[in-house]
Amino acid sequence: MPTNSWGDATTILAAHGVTEDTSFYREFTSADEKAVLTVPQRIQDAWLKNDADVFADVFTANGSLLLQDNQLTSQDEIRDYMRAGFSGPLKGAHVYGWPLEVKFLDENVAIAVTEGGIIRAGESEIAPENQIRAVWVVVRNADGDLNLFSHQSSPVKG
């Protein structure tokens, strides 16, 4: 468990212009768990806005995103991929998920596991073929800011 606070979730989200969804945390209610879970909330907000810049800015400069068969290894690659998606096949889509697990690896690295998926434009819920589980590697930098170092998702079948 971290020895220093990871921050206040409400404050972190407000600083990024994200409205906090307190129901998102479910049973992960410690201050540090909630702080880590601001990262998935920021990603959900970027999807809702279809904003590739906001999406990419959640990642570290050398962040990694494995989405379907695409391995992206920098903020620039992530931004370009999401910009193309949001103006093409992902236009109007958003994601929703919920945490299944939060673990602290050391005082500056945590892993969250979530389940959820993509809600395509015109749909009101996650279609079975769009359900995923995701692993989020969240890092806390020297300034105390939280960023996404790595995100990997996998389809949930059956």
Side-chain angles (χ1 to χ4, degrees):
M1 198 64 154
T3 56
N4 300 316
S5 172
W6 279 60
D8 175 71
T10 303
T11 304
I12 293 167
L13 291 169
H16 291 282
V18 177
T19 301
E20 183 176 28
D21 175 4
T22 57
S23 70
F24 177 82
Y25 304 118
R26 298 195 173 201
E27 70 268 22
F28 301 98
T29 57
S30 79
D32 288 341
E33 289 170 334
K34 288 168 57 175
V36 168
L37 292 172
T38 63
V39 170
Q41 286 187 72
R42 289 169 55 201
I43 290 292
Q44 285 184 174
D45 183 70
W47 269 87
L48 190 60
K49 295 174 181 170
N50 276 198
D51 190 323
D53 292 323
V54 170
F55 185 96
D57 288 345
V58 176
F59 285 81
T60 60
N62 62 341
S64 173
L65 173 63
L66 179 59
L67 192 61
Q68 299 169 341
D69 292 333
N70 302 290
Q71 179 67 61
L72 311 168
T73 59
S74 72
Q75 272 184 327
D76 290 337
E77 285 183 11
I78 293 166
R79 181 176 288 106
D80 291 345
Y81 180 85
M82 294 308 294
R83 185 172 287 127
F86 289 150
S87 64
L90 300 175
K91 186 174 186 165
H94 62 283
V95 295
Y96 183 74
W98 50 91
L100 300 174
E101 187 172 9
V102 177
K103 287 190 176 188
F104 294 90
L105 302 183
D106 71 24
E107 64 183 34
N108 293 309
V109 180
I111 292 179
V113 178
T114 60
E115 187 168 296
I118 297 174
I119 301 171
R120 303 254 178 211
E123 297 177 351
S124 60
E125 58 186 43
I126 302 167
E129 66 273 13
N130 292 328
Q131 293 177 341
I132 58 108
R133 284 212 180 96
V135 176
W136 310 70
V137 180
V138 178
V139 295
R140 180 172 59 165
N141 66 32
D143 295 335
D145 292 333
L146 305 183
N147 291 100
L148 187 52
F149 177 71
S150 179
H151 178 274
Q152 177 177 336
S153 62
S154 224
V156 174
K157 301 279 184 185

